[in-house]
Amino acid sequence: MAAKKLGDILSKELVEEVKKWGCMKQTGVSLRHMVNFGCTSSPRNLLVSAQFLHKELRIRIARRVIELENLPYGLSSKPAVLKVRDWYLDSFRDLRSYPEIKDKNDELEFTQMVKMIKVRHNNVVPVMALGIQQLKKDRPKFDYEDLSEIHQFLDRFYMSRIGIRMLIGQHVALHDPNPLPNCVGYIHTKMSPLEVARIASEDARGICLREYGSAPDVNIYGDPDFTFPYVPTHLHMMVFELVKNSVRAVQERFMDSDKVAPPIRIIVADGLEDVTIKVSDEGGGIPRSGLPKIFTYLYSTARNPLDEHFTTTDAATASTMAGYGYGIPISRLYARYFGGDLQIISMEGYGTDAYLHLSRLGDSQEPLT
């Protein structure tokens, strides 16, 4: 059965609303602004925050609905992509039908609603990955270079998702009556990158131990007293992905060797503008021809866990050592979200160095498209 376009299944009024909101200008915020604004989570500030979200989320979500409707190569009609589109539409409907936020009670009810929206979108990444798999299955001759349009869409789509989840999460977290010391919502104003790297490394080694029975050591170097404002969950996710790739590469290279597997080295450098975290391994590296592919959404050296007998539900719960090739490109988006970046340099036959740059200044606006 052919997939139905929005105009076939929705009222003309709702379609027009989506188009209207999707044309409006988005408003980016910076990490510094979020900290300054959230330092005093007074009822007045929470009201202002809710009113901002009420409008801003409609704009951002409407843009994604329009884009999900107009993807190339028939991707918009894949069942998994239709499911994602419907989640975004449901969220747009919820926000559209929510009345003006005028007082504390309105604000508290609105906060409960956006919490539900965030939960609804929890599984967007694996379900979109399944949609891409459905496309690849129908068009096996696709080369990753042919899909630059889809990669650009996914970069925009996932970056937007990071922003939406950050705004909702930050607003919800500001309601916490007992925040942790030095925490302003999601942001830790005195985050220790060494400590976050240590926890993320242990988590990555834990997965490797479960999968292979052993795991290389991870050695971390840097000033243990150094802190700066950042989102610990974002940094954990990025370091976890990088270390997970490194321990897997080293483990597989030295699994059948008499030599002791060399440790992964993490170096944290605190510059004036950037905090840089380098993750180095001796896992054999990546061929130069493969380097551009590691930032695409259709490449993984590991077997893809989302094969053809996976359902949307399976995709939503998939959690394996090596995934559907999304860890690295999404980590780069997280780095870029607050003005940083991720670079990967490989020495084929030796190992790989990943450089994670994080802006120390916190004044970079969200990159909105």
Side-chain angles (χ1 to χ4, degrees):
M1 191 178 77
K4 293 188 173 173
K5 298 293 276 183
L6 280 183
D8 303 334
I9 54 172
L10 301 175
S11 69
K12 194 164 178 238
E13 184 194 5
L14 186 62
V15 174
E16 290 305 314
E17 280 276 298
V18 169
K19 285 181 184 165
K20 182 185 94 176
W21 283 90
C23 291
M24 292 185 193
K25 191 175 186 303
Q26 302 169 97
T27 305
V29 292
S30 67
L31 187 134
R32 184 183 291 171
H33 172 81
M34 288 189 208
V35 171
N36 292 343
F37 182 84
C39 275
T40 48
S41 58
S42 62
R44 163 86 190 132
N45 269 14
L46 291 172
L47 189 62
V48 169
S49 173
Q51 288 164 343
F52 168 73
L53 280 191
H54 192 208
K55 181 182 178 187
E56 184 65 19
L57 291 177
R58 269 182 285 183
I59 298 171
R60 295 192 187 194
I61 287 170
R63 287 173 95 101
R64 302 288 72 91
V65 171
I66 292 165
E67 208 169 22
L68 284 162
E69 268 290 281
N70 297 292
L71 297 174
Y73 309 115
L75 184 58
S76 292
S77 62
K78 296 297 169 227
V81 178
L82 288 169
K83 190 174 187 68
V84 172
R85 182 200 69 184
D86 288 347
W87 286 337
Y88 275 77
L89 259 178
D90 288 345
S91 298
F92 180 82
R93 268 202 202 93
D94 288 348
L95 289 158
R96 170 182 175 254
S97 59
Y98 199 88
E100 198 183 338
I101 302 162
K102 294 177 178 166
D103 57 32
K104 188 179 175 182
N105 285 341
D106 291 349
E107 188 275 318
L108 288 171
E109 279 183 31
F110 175 80
T111 300
Q112 289 308 308
M113 185 191 74
V114 291
K115 262 167 103 167
M116 292 303 297
I117 287 176
K118 189 163 180 275
V119 170
R120 175 186 291 143
H121 292 250
N122 276 351
N123 297 322
V124 160
V125 174
V127 175
M128 273 304 286
L130 186 62
I132 301 294
Q133 283 300 106
Q134 289 165 347
L135 177 69
K136 280 176 78 181
K137 192 165 172 250
D138 287 354
R139 294 173 175 249
K141 293 211 163 48
F142 260 151
D143 187 69
Y144 85 100
E145 284 166 358
D146 299 332
L147 297 179
S148 62
E149 216 177 324
I150 287 178
H151 291 306
Q152 285 163 19
F153 154 70
L154 288 170
D155 268 346
R156 288 193 302 274
F157 182 75
Y158 291 131
M159 182 66 91
S160 167
R161 180 175 184 271
I162 290 167
I164 288 167
R165 293 180 80 74
M166 181 69 203
L167 292 183
I168 294 175
Q170 183 68 3
H171 176 78
V172 169
L174 289 176
H175 288 76
D176 186 348
N178 302 303
L180 293 169
N182 303 310
C183 282
V184 177
Y186 267 11
I187 302 160
H188 195 310
T189 58
K190 293 186 175 175
M191 184 196 75
S192 162
L194 254 76
E195 181 59 16
V196 175
R198 186 187 64 75
I199 295 166
S201 300
E202 281 309 306
D203 290 347
R205 286 187 78 246
I207 289 183
C208 188
L209 281 164
R210 280 205 304 279
E211 194 125 322
Y212 296 99
S214 62
D217 289 339
V218 178
N219 297 337
I220 304 177
Y221 306 89
D223 178 359
D225 297 325
F226 167 62
T227 64
F228 77 114
Y230 205 72
V231 181
T233 50
H234 288 192
L235 182 58
H236 181 284
M237 186 238 132
M238 293 184 277
V239 175
F240 171 78
E241 281 298 335
L242 295 172
V243 174
K244 186 181 72 173
N245 285 351
S246 287
V247 292
R248 178 168 78 91
V250 170
Q251 184 65 28
E252 291 189 349
R253 189 180 188 204
F254 288 88
M255 208 155 36
D256 302 320
S257 163
D258 297 335
K259 295 177 185 169
V260 177
I264 283 85
R265 292 163 54 87
I266 299 179
I267 299 162
V268 179
D270 45 312
L272 292 176
E273 291 182 17
D274 277 0
V275 176
T276 304
I277 299 173
K278 181 168 89 158
V279 178
S280 293
D281 68 58
E282 294 174 39
I286 302 158
R288 204 148 46 96
S289 61
L291 272 176
K293 298 180 187 177
I294 62 175
F295 285 109
T296 73
Y297 296 93
L298 299 164
Y299 175 76
S300 175
T301 52
R303 185 185 62 78
N304 197 305
L306 302 184
D307 58 27
E308 59 281 354
H309 55 258
F310 256 60
T311 65
T312 308
T313 316
D314 294 325
T317 53
S319 173
T320 54
M321 178 73 189
Y324 25 83
Y326 275 35
I328 294 296
I330 286 189
S331 293
R332 183 166 69 172
L333 295 181
Y334 271 96
R336 288 178 171 175
Y337 178 66
F338 281 129
D341 209 351
L342 171 61
Q343 294 171 300
I344 298 203
I345 296 167
S346 168
M347 290 174 70
E348 190 185 2
Y350 181 76
T352 303
D353 289 346
Y355 290 86
L356 183 58
H357 303 281
L358 310 172
S359 171
R360 189 170 176 174
L361 306 176
D363 54 1
S364 178
Q365 294 279 329
E366 295 174 276
L368 300 173
T369 49

